[in-house]
Structures are given as C-alpha cells and as structure tokens.
Amino acid sequence: MTSPAIQTLDDLLLPVAPDLRQAFAEWLRHLATERRLSSKTVEAYGRDVRIFLTFLQGHLGGPASLDDLIALTPRDLRAFLAARRAKGLVSRSLMRALASSRSLARFLARTGRGEASAFAAVRSPKIARSLPKPVSPAAARALADADTRAGEEREGWVLARDAAVIALLYGCGLRISEALSLTRAQAPVEGVDRIEVTGKGGKTRQLPVIAAVQTSIAAYLKDCPWTLAPSGPLFVGAKGGPLNPRIVQAAVARMRGALGLPDSATPHALRHSFATHLLARGGDLRTIQELLGHASLSTTQIYTEVDAARLVAVHQQFHPRARARA
C-alpha cells in the first residue's frame, strides 16, 4: 500500500517524467518504512526535493527524467543553490536542501537506477557552528517550579502541568516531542523511577527519573480535572486533548521574561542544560550520549566545548590578572 507521505496533489503534479516520479515515491516510502524517519522528517525531505525537481524543470527546459538527474553536473547543482540563496535561504537551509537531494541520489544508486555523481562532487555550504546555550541550574529549577507563575491568571492544574513538562525536559534531557508523546500508563509516579521514550529514527531508550520530576508529575496528576486513559496522552490541554507544544513554549517565554532570561532560554535549551550540567558534574560523554539518544558521539561532544567556554568565561571574570588586563 502506498505511504500517505506520497499521496498528495503536489506529488501528482510534480513536474517530472513518470520514471522519476515513481522513483521519488519509492524513495519517500523507503524513508518512512525502512529508515523509519519521523513523519515530519520525511515531509521536510520531500518538500526540499520537490523544490529541487521543480527548479530543474526551468533549468533544463522541461520535466526532468531519471536520465536527466543522473546526468546532472556540479554546475547544475551550484545553480540550484545559488537560486535558493537568492531567495534568502541561509546556509543551514541550503545544506539541508542539498542533503535531501543527495539522499534521493543514494537511493537511486542503491536501487540500480544509476549513479548521480554530481551530488558527491559538490560541497555543502559552510555554516558557523553555534554552541548550545544552556540556562543555569538555578534558572532551570525556577522554570520547572509552578510557583514561579503563581501570579498568572491560570488554573492551578495548568501551572502544575507546565511545570511537570518542563521538569521532564530538564530532569531527563527530553525533546519536547518526546515528553508530550508519553502516555498516562508511562507516567513515572508511584515508585516508577524510569521511562521509555522513542526518539529520532524510532529509536527507544530507557531513562532514569529523579524524585523531583516524579513529585512534579504527581502534583499535576492530582490536580488534573480530566480522566486520563492509560493509553492516552499523559499531558493534556485545557479541553482534554493532547497538549500542543506551543503551549509549553509560550509558558517558558512568559517565565523567561519574568526571570530576566535571554531569548535562547527555550524548552529545547533545557535539554542542552541537562547535558551541560551533567558534564560539569563529572558525567562521561558515552553516558550522556545514551541519555540524549544521540546516534553519534560527535554530536554529544559539542557539550565539551560549551563547558570549556564556560570555564574560560569564569577565568576571565574572576582571575586577578585577567581583571587587571581588562
């Protein structure tokens, strides 16, 4: 059965030859079923490649076929990147657009349709590597405390709910999507000191849950006015449906204003804070990698740079000779 990811009007109207349209459909299905990428990732990849294939129609003077794609040169790909940059895309977006098209090219090679060598010959746009911006331990604790928002005109259970979600993000290093995907049956309360979450690529991992997080979730469940089905979402909105992540993002935005935190203090920054604070207290990279669900240790190693940057900042601020030079 065809994946829902490819049953769209955009795919039917895609300005390409039938053989390339079929290959594109099979590639999307491959991403969703064999590689088990999330629906949002498959959607993003598909959108990027649709834009690329639409560009080729104008660039080549007609709908592209498989043979056209295989015959592309590095100059053709650079023309596409230049056209996208002219529309205001930043280097990170250009890198993703090229990566999506490369994924299609690799699929064509693996399925015996031909080698599109131009994709390997073009370098990805360089992007400035930005370090994660964690919040301080004190700020993280304040964000996860329902009393921080005691003056807001919101129901007490809503404040307790938001505090419980934020406590999970910081206490377990979760992505917001992972926290909101938990079911009532998975709630770490009543002696349950670990949870299982499904992260990127459909990979599951077991995470310990500290007592402070268990207490926060128990307080939310005690006040929640809705009856939560075991297989239903643990965190619900005002009408009892699944909680929208924007609600949590808005709650954090209000609190960072009250606490004087920078705009970088977002729900995802709490995941960065979890990793950075563990590393600062002696946690090893391999363990932090497993807790975060990173596929590669190199992704986790960026937190060593964050910690090093913090040490340099402290040195510059407090070392007598550093102050004297200033």
Side-chain angles (χ1 to χ4, degrees), residues 48-49 53-54 80 98 107 133 137 140 197 204 207 243 261 284 318 326:
D48 286 338
V49 174
L53 296 178
T54 301
F80 167 68
L98 186 57
F107 176 76
K133 296 178 175 61
V197 297
T204 60
L207 295 170
L243 180 61
L261 300 176
D284 66 275
F318 295 109

Side-chain angles (χ1 to χ4, degrees), residues 33-104:
T33 58
E34 295 183 36
R35 290 191 55 190
R36 297 177 63 191
L37 299 184
S38 71
S39 59
K40 289 185 177 180
T41 301
V42 175
E43 181 183 351
Y45 273 41
R47 182 170 57 249
D48 286 338
V49 174
R50 289 184 191 98
I51 292 172
F52 173 60
L53 296 178
T54 301
F55 163 82
L56 287 182
Q57 180 190 33
H59 182 67
L60 300 177
S65 66
L66 273 176
D67 287 342
D68 291 326
L69 197 67
I70 299 302
L72 290 177
T73 67
R75 178 177 295 181
D76 296 318
L77 298 185
R78 293 190 190 102
F80 167 68
L81 295 175
R84 297 300 290 158
R85 190 178 288 279
K87 290 185 177 296
L89 264 70
V90 298
S91 293
R92 186 175 297 277
S93 297
L94 291 174
M95 183 176 68
R96 195 192 72 182
L98 186 57
S100 301
S101 299
R102 278 177 174 156
S103 174
L104 173 60

